[in-house]
Amino acid sequence: MRAMQVTELGQPLSLQDIPKPAPAAEQVQVKVHTCGLNFGDLLIIKGTYQEKPELPFTLGMELCGTVTEVGEGVTDLRVGQRVAAYCGFNALADFAAIPANICVPIPDEMTDEDAAAFLIAYGTSHVALDYKAHLQPGERLLVLGASGGVGLTAVELGKLMGAEVIAVARGEDKLAVAKSMGADHLINSETDDIREVVKSLGGADVVYDPIGGDQFKAALRACNPEARLIPLGFASGEVPQIPANHLLVKNLTVIGFYWGGYTRVNPKVLTDSFAELTRWYVAGKIKPHVSNVLPLEQSNEALDLLKTRKATGKVVVRVD
């Protein structure tokens, strides 16, 4: 089968012909239809992600596909069933053998492209805002990186949950996308003073931050008393050092959050979240924003759209 593999850290993916994987016990074999790309994929290629597989390995964190074979002990999935999965690796290939307990059946109404763009982006924002930050109707939510894969879903879900949403993004075109997803206020990170604008709007009650660096520092200083800050990525390349005295004076809470970690420590958080998000999707309340769909052979070009920040929302690779 075809697979887009990392054969050397820091180098482009290589299209390889490798054996089709057979499912082990408690696994299923899935014919991959689509793979959603994520900023974490870029870090994995560089070798700076928190998980470091041995070379060579197949890239791709999340997939949509059809079950083609079930391993011993699998009882809740069947051949021919469409599923989505957060598998961490191995999604950029014709087939993947993955644990059955990480697969979630997807409704007929959900397209392959939407399914590949759904789990990580919506799951990250929903668990962060609902389960971790307990975002309340009427609160003011500040979303940094608001045009990216997770940031755009934070705008959409924050609005759906009744918050007043402030979106921060680079350039007017990306801000227009954030506005189309429900943002109430727009801040251009290229030209505007984030701290001053947020303070003029009344301050932030919850900060959703996949960026880090100077933007986190500005957001911290624009927080209201008892605000909650959620650092969940560092796209700027800078991990902010948090001054504890600022937390003390305003009674602020900084909430560490790694969505993928819940697959091991408390997977029910993710399955409950996915069930709620699926209900919202079927009801037409949420809709993934997929800016680009490319074929498997153009996976490097697809990754470059993320690296150069030319994409908005999600980039999806069509495998079959």
Side-chain angles (χ1 to χ4, degrees), residues 205-229:
D205 301 306
V206 174
V207 176
Y208 181 99
D209 178 24
I211 304 298
D214 290 338
Q215 291 195 27
F216 178 90
K217 297 173 188 176
L220 177 67
R221 296 172 68 87
C223 280
N224 291 327
E226 296 194 319
R228 291 89 73 202
L229 300 95

Side-chain angles (χ1 to χ4, degrees), residues 231-267:
L232 46 87
F234 312 105
S236 67
E238 179 186 344
V239 178
Q241 301 303 301
I242 301 169
N245 59 318
H246 286 206
L247 307 184
L248 183 151
V249 170
K250 286 189 175 181
N251 289 298
L252 303 179
T253 301
V254 179
I255 304 170
F257 176 57
Y258 169 40
W259 181 83
Y262 279 97
T263 59
R264 294 183 293 273
V265 300
N266 191 356

Side-chain angles (χ1 to χ4, degrees), residues 36-97:
L37 298 184
N38 296 274
F39 186 78
D41 290 314
L42 300 177
L43 302 180
I44 292 171
I45 293 171
K46 292 168 60 179
T48 59
Y49 195 63
Q50 51 260 43
E51 299 179 35
K52 298 176 174 61
E54 292 186 8
L55 294 170
F57 61 89
T58 302
L59 198 70
M61 289 185 171
E62 62 182 327
L63 61 80
C64 167
T66 299
V67 175
T68 48
E69 189 176 343
V70 297
E72 182 181 352
V74 177
T75 59
D76 54 350
L77 293 174
R78 66 182 187 280
V79 172
Q81 191 168 16
R82 289 175 71 234
V83 296
Y86 167 72
C87 49
F89 308 97
N90 298 321
L92 280 175
D94 287 318
F95 291 86

Side-chain angles (χ1 to χ4, degrees), residues 134-276:
H134 304 293
L135 179 68
Q136 299 299 307
E139 289 192 310
R140 197 169 293 110
L141 169 65
L142 174 62
V143 180
L144 306 180
S147 66
V150 293
L152 205 56
T153 60
V155 171
E156 186 180 13
L157 293 179
K159 190 64 178 178
L160 185 60
M161 294 167 69
E164 180 183 344
V165 181
I166 307 171
V168 180
R170 182 184 299 179
E172 296 301 328
D173 290 345
K174 292 183 177 181
L175 286 172
V177 175
K179 183 176 179 60
S180 73
M181 300 300 274
D184 298 289
H185 310 285
L186 307 174
I187 298 178
N188 188 336
S189 61
E190 292 182 324
T191 58
D192 296 333
D193 185 318
I194 295 174
R195 176 192 177 191
E196 291 304 318
V197 176
V198 174
K199 288 181 68 176
S200 73
L201 292 171
D205 301 306
V206 174
V207 176
Y208 181 99
D209 178 24
I211 304 298
D214 290 338
Q215 291 195 27
F216 178 90
K217 297 173 188 176
L220 177 67
R221 296 172 68 87
C223 280
N224 291 327
E226 296 194 319
R228 291 89 73 202
L229 300 95
I230 314 168
L232 46 87
F234 312 105
S236 67
E238 179 186 344
V239 178
Q241 301 303 301
I242 301 169
N245 59 318
H246 286 206
L247 307 184
L248 183 151
V249 170
K250 286 189 175 181
N251 289 298
L252 303 179
T253 301
V254 179
I255 304 170
F257 176 57
Y258 169 40
W259 181 83
Y262 279 97
T263 59
R264 294 183 293 273
V265 300
N266 191 356
K268 188 175 185 298
V269 170
L270 303 188
T271 55
D272 288 351
S273 170
F274 183 74
E276 179 74 4

